[in-house]
Amino acid sequence: MKFDNILTEINGFGKFQIMIILIQSISRMTLPCHFLLNNFIAAVPSHHCDLSALDDGVVFRNLTLEQKLAVSVPVEADGTPSSCQMFAEPQYNILSISNNSDDTRMLQCQTGWVYDNSIFKSTVTTEWDLVCSRKGMNKATATIFFIGVMCGAPLFGFLSDRFGRRKILLVSYLSSMVFALISSFSTSYTMFIIMRFFTGMTLAGISIISIVLNVEWFGIEHRTFAGVIISLDWTLGNWLLVGIAYFVTEWRMLILAVTSPLILSIVAWWWLPESARWLLANGKADAAHFYIMKCAKMNNRSTCIASIGQKAMLDSDAVDRGNKKYTFVDLVRTPNMRKLTICSGIVWYGVAFTYYGISLNVTGFGLNPYLAQFVFALIEVPGKIGVYYFLNKVGRKPGQVGTLMLTGVCIFINLFVPKDKWVVRTIVAILGKGLSEASFTIMFLFTTELFPTVVRQNGLGYTSFMARLGVSVAPLIILLEDTWHLLPALIYCLVAVGSGLMASLLPETLNTCLPELIEDIEQPR
């Protein structure tokens, strides 16, 4: 008897499954809080040079702030005061509307900067002056965080397949909380980025383990719902981040605030079950029987499971017939697995590369950072609801191919829309972002259904690594606009279309049983 048949008997979508979703939603909502945290803790407020070095003790001291800026700071082409330069000597002639000046030399800021604290009380930018010649260090904080996520994905994927979903998930909870806590008390920029690297690495465990543990407890007909409802945690986390960041404007306290839900996750973990699929696939039949009976009891199906009999349960196709330990090598050892691994990796790279490429280029809102973040999260909701109905009726493969191809079309259209038509460009860009977000939602569910149980976490670890590689590269492509201003958008378009075509090589998984062993992929029944 297949494990999916057992789930059907004990109700693959009941109180037990709802409990799993609710328990894990707490930790999953912290993911966008950290993944998008740089929008707030590394925000760059308006700033100008500290003008104290120009104070001559007489005339300068008696000027208003506006007058001090006028005589001390040169004006950019757009009419705004320079953020990185100052005059060598006060230009009092500007106030007298005179063109004569003895020394109009411009220097880099000599004694630091003065920041506008009206929106953010403090950020890592203001803490360590990560502006002007040091602005690259500001961008590096996000890059290093995602490199940590990229490294953590395969590590926690391997550990979860080897030692179980539940145990390693607790390790992720605890380590993420510890590293985030230490990062909030960083005394130097170097200490901060090291702690952010490890925070990203451990959060990767929550990201990939939680979705697999959810999907593995759902029956065939309810896996689509599980995948989509889990993705809504990202939207809820987005809104949570906006709300917390609006009231907590000091970066150290903000890190602590967005990490605090993990305390509840650790408490709720005691009620979280292990994956019975993983237990059976690894020869732990007694433990699997315990959780299956617990699920049946909570879903009011105890009498149904009794009619099946314990022997039939323990003879499930999911039971591993040996003591083999699976590794990443098993992802490419056999022909069908090798094709699956290569194709899914390329698709994941394209999905993440395109999504973040669009996100970094959506402009024209003119909103403050809190409202902009809220609007972007709001846009995702109708897209995810549409994805649910589409996946149930049409399938995973057409959805994945379609969203990526249409994302490429949106980017291609914007290549020909003049920049002064900012309303049209923004609408098309938002549509592209929504489609790209839909491709993310589909691919997460698709991936969990493609890889067999014995290497599912290894597979998700590998694909998450490829996705974060795409995230790391996407911002660098924008630098190519110095070569040709349309080149970055053209590259994003080609990658979206190319990964969409690659997705067409993946097998459909709608209404199919989850594969348990590698043999199920090599010799499908």
Side-chain angles (χ1 to χ4, degrees), residues 3-4 277 281 317-318 452-456 514-518 520:
F3 184 78
D4 282 299
R277 288 183 189 272
D317 289 348
T453 302
V454 291
V455 291
R456 184 167 293 126
L514 286 181
E516 306 295 350
L517 306 173
I518 290 178
D520 295 334

Side-chain angles (χ1 to χ4, degrees), residues 140-162:
T141 57
T143 300
I144 291 172
F145 172 82
F146 281 111
I147 290 175
V149 177
M150 186 171 67
C151 295
L155 172 63
F156 280 92
F158 169 77
L159 293 175
S160 179
D161 271 343
R162 177 62 64 88

Side-chain angles (χ1 to χ4, degrees), residues 169-307:
L169 192 58
L170 179 61
V171 173
S172 295
Y173 289 166
L174 293 170
S175 52
S176 296
M177 194 166 64
V178 169
F179 287 124
L181 177 66
I182 296 174
S183 70
S184 69
F185 290 98
S186 297
T187 56
S188 67
Y189 172 78
T190 302
M191 178 181 175
F192 175 74
I193 60 172
I194 291 175
M195 289 301 103
R196 285 297 286 169
F197 171 86
F198 284 111
T199 302
M201 186 175 71
T202 51
L203 283 171
I206 299 176
S207 177
I208 66 172
I209 297 172
S210 58
I211 190 169
V212 168
L213 184 54
N214 274 306
V215 171
E216 288 184 338
W217 269 110
F218 274 79
I220 296 174
E221 64 273 21
H222 300 295
R223 286 206 307 264
T224 303
F225 175 82
V228 174
I229 201 69
I230 292 167
S231 72
L232 287 175
D233 293 339
W234 182 274
T235 304
L236 295 175
N238 249 317
W239 290 336
L240 178 65
L241 172 61
V242 174
I244 295 176
Y246 183 80
F247 292 103
V248 183
T249 57
E250 202 280 319
W251 72 270
R252 295 180 188 273
M253 293 302 299
L254 182 56
I255 292 178
L256 292 176
V258 300
T259 307
S260 59
L262 287 178
I263 298 175
L264 293 177
S265 297
I266 293 171
V267 174
W269 175 86
W270 295 99
W271 288 273
L272 191 67
E274 178 58 274
S275 167
R277 288 183 189 272
W278 179 85
L279 291 169
L280 288 171
N282 286 270
K284 302 178 184 294
D286 291 340
H289 177 251
F290 168 79
Y291 285 114
I292 290 171
M293 294 303 296
K294 186 175 180 180
C295 175
K297 182 178 180 181
M298 186 172 290
N299 290 346
N300 297 320
R301 293 294 184 89
S302 298
T303 54
C304 296
I305 202 69
S307 65

Side-chain angles (χ1 to χ4, degrees), residues 36 55 60 76 78-79 82 138 187 216 241 253 256 280 312 330 355 365-366 373 380 395 415 428 439 473 482 524:
L36 303 174
D55 190 351
F60 190 87
E76 299 288 357
D78 61 358
S82 173
N138 187 322
T187 56
E216 288 184 338
L241 172 61
M253 293 302 299
L256 292 176
L280 288 171
D330 292 293
Y355 174 80
F365 280 89
Q373 193 77 34
E380 298 174 1
L415 288 173
V428 174
S439 71
V473 174
D482 294 336

Side-chain angles (χ1 to χ4, degrees), residues 356-426:
Y356 282 93
I358 294 174
S359 299
L360 292 171
N361 284 285
V362 175
T363 58
F365 280 89
L367 306 174
N368 69 43
Y370 304 108
L371 186 55
Q373 193 77 34
F374 179 83
V375 170
F376 286 141
L378 189 64
I379 291 168
E380 298 174 1
V381 177
K384 290 178 178 179
I385 294 174
V387 163
Y388 170 69
Y389 288 102
F390 185 90
L391 293 182
N392 260 341
K393 299 296 182 182
V394 183
R396 280 65 160 147
K397 184 162 74 170
Q400 191 63 55
V401 174
T403 52
L404 282 170
M405 297 292 281
L406 290 174
T407 298
V409 170
C410 290
I411 300 173
F412 184 75
I413 291 173
N414 258 354
L415 288 173
F416 302 98
V417 179
K419 287 191 175 182
D420 59 340
K421 305 288 186 182
W422 63 270
V423 175
V424 177
R425 290 181 62 85
T426 300

Side-chain angles (χ1 to χ4, degrees), residues 44-75:
V44 182
S46 299
H47 56 280
H48 60 77
C49 297
D50 181 4
L51 308 178
S52 59
L54 299 179
D55 190 351
D56 55 13
V58 185
V59 179
F60 190 87
R61 184 169 298 177
N62 293 323
L63 299 177
T64 64
L65 177 60
E66 291 75 13
Q67 291 174 328
K68 289 179 180 179
L69 287 174
V71 302
S72 306
V73 179
V75 178

Side-chain angles (χ1 to χ4, degrees), residues 454-470:
V454 291
V455 291
R456 184 167 293 126
Q457 285 288 184
N458 278 323
L460 248 71
Y462 154 74
T463 53
S464 184
F465 176 89
M466 294 297 294
R468 300 313 161 192
L469 183 60

